[in-house]
């Protein structure tokens, strides 16, 4: 298959080439990688059908991207954690997709690890997936979630954080009454941000697994600490 990695320096050079080609793929790909490219392009185009929001496109495409890669024999956990690989995917395999979604924004192509579009989607689905693709979509399309959810959980925390805690945070967060939170505290997406800020501060001195009630009890404590705090901060 050849080299499947791009350093940030290599990516910068190829990104300039993309600009001159109007972000069309010009790289000669092996048969296997060309097949992967076709599958991903098809998945993205289907995700855009009857588009309701950018977020719905993201999760629809993300679910398929995860499934396609998960069924690809040579794809490994090691590759999933390697941002040089994701730079290659963005710039050499699916540049048209990233350009369509974000335009000429180098952070989403290669410049900022946690913002590389396919990497961000892969980890978002990897962490919060349910037992099936349909169940995953049903869960992640709840009104509590948006592109800001991806920003808060993946782009801010990365993929090296405590995954079980993140799962439980979103699980409990998804059960909150949006109207009640908005009327008494703040917009729902801001509430999630506050939970995660609390988590990032308390994780320095608390081991969630050893907290009373375990991870579930720890997350309840995070949420209650906000619910019992200052109200009507809009």
């Amino acid at each position: 298959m050849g080299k499947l990695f791009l350093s940030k320096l290599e990516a910068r050079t190829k990104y300039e080439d993309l600009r001159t080609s109007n972000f069309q793929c010009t790289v000669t790909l092996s048969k296997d990688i060309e097949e992967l490219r076709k599958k991903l392009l098809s998945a993205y185009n289907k995700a855009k059908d009857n588009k309701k929001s950018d977020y719905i496109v993201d999760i629809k495409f993300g679910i398929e991207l995860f499934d396609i890669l998960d069924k690809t024999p040579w794809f490994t956990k090691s590759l999933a954690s390697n941002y040089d690989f994701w730079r290659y995917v963005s710039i050499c395999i699916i540049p048209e997709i990233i350009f369509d979604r974000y335009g000429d924004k180098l952070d989403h192509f290669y410049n900022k690890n946690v913002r590389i579009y396919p990497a961000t989607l892969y980890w978002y689905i990897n962490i919060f997936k349910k037992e099936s693709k349909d169940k995953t979509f049903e869960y992640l399309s709840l009104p509590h979630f948006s592109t800001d959810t991806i920003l808060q959980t993946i782009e801010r925390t990365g993929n090296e954080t405590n995954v079980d805690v993140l799962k439980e945070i979103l699980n409990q967060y998804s059960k909150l009454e949006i109207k009640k939170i908005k009327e008494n505290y703040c917009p729902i997406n801001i509430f999630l941000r506050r939970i995660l800020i609390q988590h990032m501060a308390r994780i320095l001195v608390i081991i969630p697994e050893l907290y009373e009630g375990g991870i579930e009890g720890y997350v309840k404590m995070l949420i209650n600490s906000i619910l019992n705090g200052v109200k009507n901060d809009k």
Side-chain angles (χ1 to χ4, degrees):
M1 290 186 293
K3 181 183 177 183
L4 297 178
F5 306 97
L6 286 179
S7 68
K8 186 174 286 190
L9 181 59
E10 290 171 323
R12 184 184 306 164
T13 299
K14 287 190 176 295
Y15 190 73
E16 292 306 316
D17 293 338
L18 280 178
R19 280 176 164 163
T20 62
S21 68
N22 197 28
F23 291 89
Q24 297 299 304
C25 179
T26 58
V27 178
T28 300
L29 304 172
S30 69
K31 183 178 179 180
D32 287 346
I33 302 303
E34 183 61 43
E35 185 61 30
L36 173 63
R37 169 178 156 78
K38 289 178 181 178
K39 289 179 181 178
L40 293 176
L41 287 172
S42 176
Y44 181 74
N45 289 331
K46 287 180 181 177
K48 287 186 65 179
D49 287 346
N50 301 314
K51 174 182 176 180
K52 293 184 178 180
S53 70
D54 287 337
Y55 176 67
I56 294 299
V57 173
D58 287 344
I59 58 173
K60 282 184 175 182
F61 176 53
I63 289 168
E64 293 305 320
L65 177 143
F66 179 86
D67 186 60
I68 289 166
L69 289 175
D70 192 49
K71 293 176 179 176
T72 298
W74 50 262
F75 183 75
T76 63
K77 290 182 179 179
S78 177
L79 281 178
S81 300
N82 190 326
Y83 285 102
D84 285 355
F85 167 73
W86 291 116
R87 290 188 189 95
Y88 182 87
V89 173
S90 293
I91 290 179
C92 297
I93 300 180
I94 54 169
E96 301 95 333
I97 291 177
I98 293 86
F99 182 71
D100 183 74
R101 178 65 177 82
Y102 287 105
D104 187 352
K105 299 287 183 63
L106 53 83
D107 279 355
H108 295 288
F109 278 87
Y110 77 90
N111 195 48
K112 191 172 182 180
N113 286 355
V114 293
R115 286 200 170 183
I116 297 174
Y117 185 53
T120 299
L121 293 185
Y122 174 87
W123 284 109
Y124 188 60
I125 302 304
N126 183 62
I127 293 173
F128 302 117
K129 68 182 183 295
K130 297 299 183 181
E131 60 270 21
S132 69
K133 291 196 291 185
D134 287 343
K135 290 292 184 181
T136 299
F137 179 77
E138 180 181 346
Y139 174 58
L140 292 178
S141 61
L142 288 172
H144 299 70
F145 304 144
S146 66
T147 53
D148 194 63
T149 314
I150 302 176
L151 170 67
Q152 299 305 323
T153 59
I154 305 300
E155 293 190 20
R156 288 196 187 277
T157 62
N159 56 52
E160 301 300 325
T161 191
N162 190 317
V163 168
D164 291 333
V165 174
L166 272 183
K167 286 181 178 179
E168 186 58 28
I169 286 174
L170 246 62
N171 178 51
Q172 293 190 33
Y173 165 76
S174 70
K175 296 174 183 176
L176 296 172
E177 293 183 37
I178 294 177
K179 184 178 179 181
K180 182 177 179 181
I181 294 297
K182 184 177 181 180
E183 289 177 350
N184 295 288
Y185 299 92
C186 59
I188 191 69
N189 63 311
I190 301 300
F191 197 86
L192 174 61
R193 188 178 306 173
R194 292 180 179 178
I195 297 172
L196 290 166
I197 289 172
Q198 287 272 355
H199 167 54
M200 298 307 288
R202 292 176 186 260
I203 197 70
L204 298 175
V205 293
I206 296 176
I207 300 174
E209 290 85 352
L210 300 182
Y211 192 82
E212 183 178 357
I215 290 175
E216 182 179 347
Y218 169 77
V219 174
K220 284 181 180 178
M221 176 273 293
L222 296 177
I223 293 175
N224 286 334
S225 69
I226 302 171
L227 293 175
N228 295 328
V230 179
K231 295 188 177 184
N232 295 316
D233 180 10
K234 300 178 182 178

